Amino acid sequence: MIPAIGLSLGIIIGLLLQPAVPVWLQPYLPIAVIAALDAVFGGVRAILDGIFDDKVFVVSFLSNVVVAAFIVFLGDKLGVGSQLSTGVVVVLGVRIFSNVAAIRRHLFDA
Amino acid sequence: MTRTAPPGQRPDASMTLLNTMLQRPLDPGYAAAADRREAQGRPRSTSLRSPLLAIATVLIGLLVGIASYNLTTANKPRSQARADLITQIEDRRAEVDSLAAKATTLQGQVTTLEGDRLGTDAVTVRNHDLSVAVGTVPLQGPGFTLTLDDAPGAGADDTAEGGQAQQGQVIAKDLQYVTNALWRAGAEAVSINGNRLTSTSAIRFAGSALIVDFRPLTRPYVITALGDQKGFPAAFADGAGGTYLSTLRSSFGIRVDTEVSDKLTVPAAVGLTTRYARSGDTGAATATPGATGTPSPTPTPERSTP
């Protein structure tokens, strides 16, 4: 319950304050969101599996965001542009998909 | 011949990356932490009420909220810049229009004053005739108007991309051909949407917009042609121009309306300047002064930005 409240509180604050993100930071936003989603779905699945650990959740979220941002930065510096970020999106997307599938199996037994 | 995998090795060993991604998508850290806690005699799962978790979820929510606000197109700096550029273009265009109107008024005053001051000698008459031909004075007289418009449903919105004209759109070549046919048929003055055509006028395409003398036109395109010869409209209709227009109408659905009138006006040309011919190659001219009896080298017109 508390995590859900925290999540919606954060979204509401973000939408209400409407902070302007500097332009140099904007390419990192989409990847960071996908990394955060991956951590969230992983956490939900862990809760349903009965093996949730708050420390693992926080560390996985932070490291996901940092690594994703680093890969975008690296791709930018190497001149391969968004191709490295595509790799991140594919890997995280597959993970999100399978985690959601596991959550679905837990919730609906199907 | 079939090869069996060595014992202890899975047949799909080369696809480990895919297998790990698909079968164990969950962070192995969760399972490891659970095993550790179980070994210490604590429950496998921690409580959801930890402050760390609350802070992390608020952070995630904040990230999603900020991203959704900043990544929506309406708030991108690019669209802001685009809007700024559009206002700038509109401002400048209005400025150009007002300055052009002012120039026309001033030019009219100059012409009137000239007419007052100068007498009726041969030079003045010649000057008047020339200004009619050059386009520095507004003209009024019999003639006809041609109204060209895109075919219904073609290019009414900006669907043409990359400067490619759609089938039913009026393009610069159409206007060029029609105006040339008008001159050939004996027109004395031609204007398109109020832009007087002179010997230095250019009808061009820029993107998907038609441009006459660097001023963009909007549909419909009204070509006013003056000519007081008898049968000037008929000469145009029977000539190449009429044929071209009927082809446009029948093949591409472009709307063409012709209207003959006894009293039409064509404004004076805006921004006419005098250009001086200059000797192109002075070195060669001085090297052989009058050796072959030829005059100075052919003057080349100075290329000036209009």
Side-chain angles (χ1 to χ4, degrees), chain A residues 19 21 33 42 45 51-54, chain B residues 25-26 37 44 46 50 67 70:
Chain A
V21 172
V33 167
R45 183 182 174 185
I51 53 170
F52 184 75
D53 188 302
D54 54 351
Chain B
L26 192 57
R37 268 197 309 277
R44 280 177 69 83
T46 58
S50 83
N70 276 280

Side-chain angles (χ1 to χ4, degrees), chain B residues 134-152:
Chain B
V134 165
T136 51
V137 286
L139 286 181
Q140 196 172 38
F144 64 96
T145 59
L146 280 170
T147 309
L148 273 72
D149 202 348
D150 296 348

Side-chain angles (χ1 to χ4, degrees), chain B:
Chain B
M1 154 177 150
T2 52
R3 259 193 344 190
T4 50
Q9 195 177 342
R10 294 170 49 150
D12 57 350
S14 63
M15 296 190 290
T16 41
L17 179 64
L18 282 177
N19 280 331
T20 34
M21 260 187 3
L22 290 172
Q23 290 172 8
R24 298 177 53 223
L26 192 57
D27 221 318
Y30 282 118
D35 290 346
R36 215 166 37 241
R37 268 197 309 277
E38 201 170 32
Q40 292 167 359
R42 288 188 291 158
R44 280 177 69 83
S45 175
T46 58
S47 157
L48 291 181
R49 292 166 185 272
S50 83
L52 200 60
L53 181 60
I55 295 170
T57 49
V58 170
L59 269 181
I60 293 175
L62 209 57
L63 184 66
V64 172
I66 291 172
S68 63
Y69 169 71
N70 276 280
L71 295 178
T72 42
T73 47
N75 305 310
K76 274 196 174 169
R78 190 184 296 168
S79 57
Q80 180 62 38
R82 191 180 142 85
D84 285 352
L85 283 177
I86 289 175
T87 23
Q88 267 188 36
I89 289 171
E90 279 166 357
D91 289 354
R92 296 285 156 80
R93 193 174 288 171
E95 205 177 318
V96 166
D97 284 345
S98 72
L99 285 178
K102 198 174 163 189
T104 316
T105 325
L106 290 175
Q107 216 163 33
Q109 286 178 14
V110 167
T111 318
T112 325
L113 289 175
E114 257 179 12
D116 288 351
R117 283 301 179 93
L118 300 174
T120 48
D121 55 346
V123 176
T124 316
V125 172
R126 182 166 160 68
N127 179 35
H128 178 73
D129 291 349
L130 283 177
S131 21
V132 168
V134 165
T136 51
V137 286
L139 286 181
Q140 196 172 38
F144 64 96
T145 59
L146 280 170
T147 309
L148 273 72
D149 202 348
D150 296 348
D157 44 1
D158 275 350
T159 44
E161 281 182 10
Q164 283 214 330
Q166 283 186 337
Q167 281 282 308
Q169 270 184 316
V170 178
I171 58 170
K173 199 182 135 213
D174 301 338
L175 293 187
Q176 286 166 2
Y177 196 93
V178 169
T179 45
N180 280 335
L182 282 170
W183 293 123
R184 204 181 309 154
E188 286 174 31
V190 177
S191 76
I192 300 179
N193 283 17
N195 294 290
R196 175 83 169 264
L197 295 184
T198 66
S199 54
T200 58
S201 293
I203 303 172
R204 282 193 286 189
F205 236 158
S208 57
L210 277 170
I211 286 185
V212 168
D213 282 347
F214 297 96
R215 303 180 71 187
L217 302 182
T218 47
R219 299 182 310 121
Y221 312 102
V222 183
I223 305 177
T224 311
L226 298 191
D228 47 9
Q229 283 175 326
K230 285 262 180 198
F232 160 58
F236 173 75
D238 294 341
T243 320
Y244 190 83
L245 283 184
S246 59
T247 313
L248 279 186
R249 198 182 297 148
S250 57
S251 303
F252 301 104
I254 287 174
R255 287 168 281 180
V256 181
D257 288 320
T258 316
E259 200 176 328
V260 183
S261 168
D262 280 342
K263 205 175 178 188
L264 285 171
T265 47
V266 164
V270 177
L272 270 184
T273 50
T274 319
R275 297 184 196 186
Y276 294 97
R278 192 182 287 165
S279 168
D281 193 0
T282 46
T286 48
T288 54
T292 53
T294 52
S296 59
T298 325
T300 50
E302 190 191 352
R303 295 279 170 90
S304 65
T305 50

